[in-house]
Amino acid sequence: MALIEVNYLSQALSKITALQVFIPNDLNPAEQEGIPYYGRETRVLYLLHGYSGNQTDWIQGTTICNLAKKYNFAVVCPAGDNSFYLDQEMTGGKYATFVGEELPAYMEQLFHFSGKREDTYIGGFSMGGFGAVHTALRYNRKFGKVMAFSSAFIINEIIKTGSKTTGSLTNRPYQEHIFGPGESLKTSEKNPEYLLCRLLEKKEILPEFYLACGTEDTLLPHNREFRDFLKEKKVPAIYTESPGGHSWDFWNRALEPAVKWMMED
C-alpha cells in the first residue's frame, strides 16, 4: 500500500496545497484472492475534512485505509481550510473549482486514475459533508456517488436568520464571507438545493446520495431537512440515523456501510 503526501501548486487556490493519497496497489495475489473488487479498475474516493481540520484527518481518524484495501479504491484527501469548499471571488478562493475540477484532473494525470464518472466518488463529514454534496451537484458529470456524514447543511438557517446559525463556532463576518448575504442564498450556486433544482429542471444526471447523521448531533435537524427536501423532489437517497454525536466514533461506525454501498455494484 502507498500512503503519499503530495504538495503541488494549485492554480485555483494560488498556493502550494497539501493532500494525502492512499493507494492499495501492492497487495500480493494471496491477499487479493477471493476479493471480487480486484477484478475491476481501481476506483477513486475524494474525502473532505471538516471545519478546523486538514488533509490528514480521514487517514488518521478513521478506518478508511483498511476499507480501501478491502474494496480496492484509492483515497484522496485534500486540504480545504475552512472554506466550506465553495468558490469565492478573491484570488486563491476557488475551492469548489479546486476539488471538483482541478484536483481530479491532476490526480488522473499524476496517478493515471480512472476519470470515468462511474469510478469517481466524493464524501465528507460536517463541513466536508456539505462540501461533498455541493461538489457532486456542481460537478454532476464527474462524480457518480456521494456520501455525507453529519453534514453542515446550514444555509437555510442562514437564509432565515440572516447569516447566523444556532450553536455555530463561527461568527457573522465569517459566514457572510463564505456564503454571502442570506437574502441571496436561495438562488446562489453556493446552495446545494438550488443546484439540485437546476439539474432537475435541465433533466441532468444526478449523483447517488448516501446520508448519515447521529441522533445526538446538533446538526441532525439540518440533515433531516435536506433528507425531506430530496423526498419532496423525488430524488432517491439512502438516509440513516443511529445513536451518536458529532464525533469520530459515529463517523467510523457509519463509514463501512456507506463504502460498501459505494463500491458494491
Side-chain angles (χ1 to χ4, degrees):
M1 293 72 66
L3 177 59
I4 306 161
E5 175 96 11
V6 178
N7 291 269
Y8 86 99
L9 178 60
S10 165
Q11 300 303 314
L13 304 183
S14 300
K15 69 174 183 178
I16 294 175
T17 189
L19 54 133
Q20 290 201 335
V21 182
F22 180 83
I23 309 173
N25 60 349
D26 61 351
L27 271 69
N28 62 47
E31 291 175 300
Q32 296 182 27
E33 188 174 354
I35 303 178
Y37 312 105
Y38 284 90
R40 56 158 168 78
E41 199 164 6
T42 299
R43 298 176 179 178
V44 187
L45 174 58
Y46 294 84
L47 287 176
L48 311 183
H49 64 75
Y51 181 84
S52 77
N54 67 15
Q55 73 277 7
T56 68
D57 287 2
W58 275 100
I59 301 296
Q60 293 183 353
T62 74
T63 58
I64 194 62
C65 292
N66 285 334
L67 293 174
K69 290 187 288 183
K70 181 175 179 179
Y71 293 95
N72 185 27
F73 62 94
V75 179
V76 180
C77 302
D81 302 312
N82 291 330
S83 66
F84 267 78
Y85 305 92
L86 295 172
D87 277 356
Q88 306 299 340
E89 291 300 320
M90 65 184 186
T91 301
K94 304 294 185 185
Y95 282 87
T97 302
F98 165 63
V99 173
E101 185 176 336
E102 180 187 272
L103 181 59
Y106 187 71
M107 291 292 97
E108 289 157 25
Q109 175 189 0
L110 188 61
F111 295 110
H112 303 289
F113 291 153
S114 168
K116 294 183 289 189
R117 183 178 185 271
E118 59 267 29
D119 292 333
T120 308
Y121 309 138
I122 192 166
F125 63 83
S126 195
M127 179 188 81
F130 172 94
V133 170
H134 177 271
T135 304
L137 289 169
R138 178 167 167 176
Y139 295 94
N140 60 304
R141 297 187 180 184
K142 184 64 186 177
F143 300 97
K145 295 182 179 181
V146 54
M147 63 180 191
F149 307 120
S150 311
S151 302
F153 294 127
I154 59 176
I155 277 185
N156 283 333
E157 187 173 351
I158 292 175
I159 291 171
K160 294 172 187 174
T161 62
S163 298
K164 181 61 180 173
T165 63
T166 304
S168 175
L169 297 175
T170 61
N171 60 17
R172 181 166 181 157
Y174 166 83
Q175 292 169 18
E176 289 183 342
H177 167 69
I178 293 295
F179 297 107
E183 60 270 17
S184 68
L185 275 177
K186 282 189 177 181
T187 56
S188 168
E189 289 207 349
K190 295 180 178 182
N191 187 339
E193 292 187 8
Y194 172 73
L195 291 180
L196 190 142
C197 288
R198 195 170 63 180
L199 291 175
L200 289 173
E201 288 172 6
K202 295 179 178 179
K203 298 182 179 179
E204 283 267 5
I205 191 170
L206 294 176
E208 297 179 49
F209 294 92
Y210 188 108
L211 310 172
C213 193
T215 51
E216 285 70 55
D217 197 315
T218 57
L219 291 172
L220 181 62
H222 301 293
N223 283 262
R224 287 175 172 174
E225 186 176 35
F226 190 73
R227 172 204 62 189
D228 294 343
F229 168 77
L230 293 177
K231 284 184 179 178
E232 176 191 335
K233 298 300 178 183
K234 297 181 172 57
V235 174
I238 294 175
Y239 177 85
T240 67
E241 291 180 6
S242 58
H246 205 74
S247 68
W248 289 111
D249 179 64
F250 173 78
W251 299 324
N252 262 309
R253 284 188 283 111
L255 186 54
E256 183 160 11
V259 166
K260 186 176 181 181
W261 164 82
M262 266 188 169
M263 302 299 165
E264 284 195 335
D265 59 32

